[in-house]
Each structure stands twice: as structure tokens, then as C-alpha cells.
Amino acid sequence: MALQRIHHFAINAPADVLAEVLSFYDQLLDLKPGFRPDFGFTGYWLYAGDHPILHLLEDNNRAVTGTGFFDHIAFACDDLAATIAKLDAMEVHYDRLDMTQIGQSQLFVRDPAGTAVELNFTVK
């Protein structure tokens, strides 16, 4: 078996935080809510095209604590300049790392639930 792509990642958070997280990923990465089976609890599946890449799970008892060994999620992206403009317009703080030896620029942000997100761009 070979890894093909990120399948999904999940965020468990209270309803008010999930609303902010949903808006964040919609605005920044254009992930849209779509079909989600009925699991008996509230949540959303956010889609990149036809793939539900981000699962949001409502847990109103979830405390803001560590998430075990989970550190961040990384996405391959394009159009670095447009993404920076979007982050600036959204007033989202980011750090940038240019890895010229591998032809890549990285932007590091945190979503409203505190999840570290790495955005990778191929540059020439």
C-alpha cells in the first residue's frame, strides 16, 4: 500500500469554535460543507472538490488542551501572492519560510481552534 494523499483531518471543538473554523477554511482554502452521514452528533465535512478533507466534530465539553502528538496539517497550494493577500485581508497572522534549496515557500497559520496549518507553494 502506498500513501496517495491526505485523506482527512478532524477537529473536535465546541459549536461556537466550529463555526469560526468552518468560516476560516471556507475563506482561506475554499473548503465547502457537503454531505456527511448521520453519526448521531453534530458536525460538518468540508470538501476540496469531491473529497471530504476536513471533518469538524461538535464537542461542547472539549477543553482547550493538548491534542496528543498531533502537530499540524499541511496542504499543497498554488498562487502564493493571492494567498498572502487573502490572509492579509482576513487579518490572519502568518509566518513565512522560503526554502530556496527545494524551490518551496511555506506559510504557517493557526485556525480559530488553534490547529497549526502549513501551506506549501512551489516556487521557481
Side-chain angles (χ1 to χ4, degrees):
M1 179 177 78
L3 179 66
Q4 296 176 349
R5 66 181 184 280
I6 293 174
H7 186 272
H8 76 274
F9 70 105
I11 296 172
N12 293 10
D16 59 329
V17 175
L18 282 189
E20 292 180 44
V21 170
L22 193 152
S23 178
F24 177 86
Y25 284 101
D26 178 22
Q27 290 179 43
L28 179 61
L29 298 177
D30 203 30
L31 297 180
K32 300 295 184 194
F35 172 77
R36 177 182 177 269
D38 182 3
F39 293 107
F41 55 89
T42 303
Y44 308 92
W45 280 8
L46 301 185
Y47 282 72
D50 62 355
H51 187 76
I53 196 162
L54 173 54
H55 297 181
L56 302 179
L57 312 168
E58 183 178 323
D59 183 351
N60 289 312
N61 297 314
R62 180 93 174 200
V64 179
T65 62
T67 57
F69 290 108
F70 181 80
D71 183 65
H72 71 279
I73 188 73
F75 295 103
C77 302
D78 60 14
D79 204 341
L80 176 61
T83 303
I84 289 172
K86 187 179 286 190
L87 288 167
D88 289 342
M90 292 172 63
E91 298 181 355
V92 172
H93 171 78
Y94 61 90
D95 292 309
R96 179 176 178 170
L97 177 61
D98 294 312
M99 305 290 296
T100 55
Q101 65 271 36
I102 60 171
Q104 182 173 292
S105 289
Q106 299 172 316
L107 301 178
F108 301 92
V109 301
R110 289 206 178 264
D111 73 16
T115 308
V117 180
E118 177 183 317
L119 306 174
N120 293 293
F121 301 84
T122 299
V123 294
K124 297 176 180 168

